[in-house]
Amino acid sequence: MLSKTGVAPKELVKSVFPLDLSSFKAVIECYQEIPCNPCEFYCPFDAIEIGQNINNLPLLIESKCVGCGICVGVCPGLAIMLVKEENESLLFTIPYELALPDNDVCKIVNRTGEVIGDGVITKVVKTELRTLVTVQCDKQYLYDFGGILYE
Ligand code: SF4
Ligand code: SF4
């Protein structure tokens, strides 16, 4: 399915999610073997392993990830986000190319770009390369959240 549509099936998505959602952790959705490694290079906590072969898929060492978001900002493929469970909702931190206000509502889209629900932008942080946006949404979107639509 991934090679035909470019959309990762849910089982594959689940396989890259951290087990412990009590604090922010990286979700690395990098499914193609490509020569790329800024995520590994810039992680200050050695929480991403690619190794000698730069074509290897990145592997998150969950116990070392502190959810700092540096990898989210440096990944050229926009393939990394952070996730955390908070009370009855989820927080996702995603890379975003445009400026956004915080404390505003947005739409949640799935990995095919379909609107699936509502979210609230809770935090906007500008990094050297791009903006990191944190969005709060309902827990039901754990494996369906693919991004936001803001108008
Ligand atoms: S969020 Fe921070 S600690 Fe976790 S993998 Fe990314 S750069 Fe490393
Ligand atoms: S920086 Fe992004 S695209 Fe490159 S290997 Fe890491 S996750 Fe994949």
Side-chain angles (χ1 to χ4, degrees):
M1 181 171 173
L2 179 63
S3 59
K4 283 192 186 149
T5 64
V7 178
K10 204 177 269 190
E11 284 314 307
L12 186 57
V13 172
K14 281 184 182 177
S15 74
V16 295
F17 262 69
L19 298 174
D20 176 10
L21 298 178
S22 63
S23 62
F24 275 113
K25 301 274 182 201
V27 177
I28 306 177
E29 289 202 69
C30 186
Y31 303 120
Q32 313 266 346
E33 294 184 354
I34 49 166
C36 184
N37 70 354
C39 55
E40 179 190 50
F41 183 83
Y42 285 103
C43 174
F45 302 95
D46 294 328
I48 299 179
E49 212 171 78
I50 288 178
Q52 293 293 320
N53 182 351
I54 196 173
N55 291 302
N56 287 343
L57 295 180
L59 179 73
L60 179 74
I61 303 161
E62 188 179 328
S63 59
K64 291 186 177 180
C65 177
V66 302
C68 66
I70 290 173
C71 56
V72 180
V74 301
C75 170
L78 309 181
I80 309 179
M81 63 181 179
L82 303 179
V83 65
K84 179 189 174 192
E85 198 175 281
E86 197 168 82
N87 304 320
E88 284 310 299
S89 64
L90 296 169
L91 294 171
F92 287 100
T93 299
I94 57 168
Y96 204 78
E97 307 280 38
L98 305 171
L100 277 180
D102 53 13
N103 287 314
D104 205 349
V105 292
C106 62
K107 293 291 178 197
I108 304 297
V109 297
N110 64 15
R111 285 175 178 75
T112 59
E114 270 176 286
V115 173
I116 51 173
D118 298 310
V120 177
I121 300 165
T122 61
K123 196 172 169 187
V124 177
V125 176
K126 270 193 164 294
T127 70
E128 216 170 294
L129 289 175
R130 51 181 68 91
T131 304
L132 303 189
V133 176
T134 300
V135 184
Q136 187 167 30
C137 64
D138 192 90
K139 263 169 98 166
Q140 65 177 304
Y141 303 124
L142 181 60
Y143 300 119
D144 292 316
F145 177 94
I148 62 167
L149 191 64
Y150 179 78
E151 290 167 337

